[in-house]
Amino acid sequence: MIATPAIRLATPADAPGIAALSRDAIEHGLPWTWQAPRVARAIRAANTNVVVVGPAEAISAFGIMSYLDDDAHLLLFAVHPRHRRQGLGTAVLHWLEDVARAAGAKRIRVEARRDNEAARNFYSQHGYHERAIASQMYSGQLDGVRLEKWLRPQD
């Protein structure tokens, strides 16, 4: 485990690195939908936080979280394979969860590929519960799993 990583808000210069890590670590085998222009739009969006660990040319981890009313949605999240199991993912997730709580979110929703056992286990270890299996969720090709974590009691 590394010392507390320097998590920072992403800048437009980070968009290509985030997009490349998304392509390689998340979207492999699927059409590449989170290309640099889409990531840059997320970075500029008022209702979205994009955070990274590492310099623009060597992103170690990132997370993209959007907020709508009292709901947060973890849109995209990855740790570079060389940096996994060092606490980076946990640090980024906790940072995003803390911001969601401060923003008044009741819950966080996230999706993962059904075949991504490591991601499903990671979210489970952090208090996320699987709510549903979504057939052909990813580009009509792969099933997904919808997960959620309640940050405060349900009304």
Side-chain angles (χ1 to χ4, degrees), residues 129-150:
H129 302 280
E130 294 188 4
R131 298 286 296 160
I133 302 293
S135 296
Q136 300 179 332
M137 173 185 232
Y138 293 99
S139 301
Q141 299 175 40
L142 296 175
D143 294 346
V145 178
R146 297 183 193 280
L147 303 101
E148 67 183 14
K149 179 177 183 175
W150 286 89

Side-chain angles (χ1 to χ4, degrees), residues 27-48:
E27 298 183 88
H28 56 88
L30 297 169
W32 185 22
T33 62
W34 279 93
Q35 295 184 32
R38 183 175 181 191
V39 173
R41 283 192 302 276
I43 291 169
R44 291 190 306 271
N47 68 337
T48 304

Side-chain angles (χ1 to χ4, degrees), residues 3 15 23 52 63 69 72 83 85 91 119 153:
R23 178 195 62 219
V52 296
D69 299 323
H83 301 288
R85 300 222 172 276

